[in-house]
């Protein structure tokens, strides 16, 4: 099991894809976030799922795809 601070850093880095963007409220898909993080899609998907479960991100249907958006204030950042 990874050290808790390492895990927190991973989730903070994932959230920054949304918050440090020129368009922080724009929905992003798992492949878009994975490309930004230079991380595999499966690992990125797991991170995003965890962030949705704790309320840091929410899902939003974007056309035929499912995107993720950051809803306001972030507790991990």
């Amino acid at each position: 099991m990874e050290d808790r601070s390492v895990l927190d850093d991973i989730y903070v880095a994932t959230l920054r894809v949304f918050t440090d963007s020129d368009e922080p409220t724009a929905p992003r898909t798992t492949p878009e976030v994975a490309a930004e993080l230079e991380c595999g899609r499966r690992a990125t998907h797991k991170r995003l799922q965890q962030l949705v479960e704790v309320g840091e991100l929410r899902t939003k249907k974007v056309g035929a795809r499912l995107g993720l958006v950051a809803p306001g204030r972030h507790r991990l950042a």
Side-chain angles (χ1 to χ4, degrees):
M1 183 75 171
E2 292 185 66
D3 182 290
R4 178 71 186 161
S5 64
V6 171
L7 289 175
D8 288 347
D9 290 346
I10 288 169
Y11 293 115
V12 169
T14 304
L15 280 175
R16 285 193 180 126
V17 171
F18 295 86
T19 60
D20 290 355
S21 167
D22 290 338
E23 298 180 69
T25 59
R28 289 169 180 73
T29 63
T30 298
E32 292 169 337
V33 175
E36 183 86 19
L37 294 171
E38 298 180 356
C39 183
R41 286 185 186 185
R42 177 178 244 163
T44 301
H45 181 73
K46 287 181 181 183
R47 291 183 194 185
L48 295 170
Q49 276 186 312
Q50 182 63 30
L51 289 167
V52 167
E53 287 176 19
V54 298
E56 291 292 337
L57 295 176
R58 65 181 176 84
T59 58
K60 179 178 183 179
K61 187 154 178 139
V62 181
R65 301 184 318 175
L66 188 63
L68 294 119
V69 293
R73 194 168 152 236
H74 302 289
R75 292 178 292 279
L76 290 178

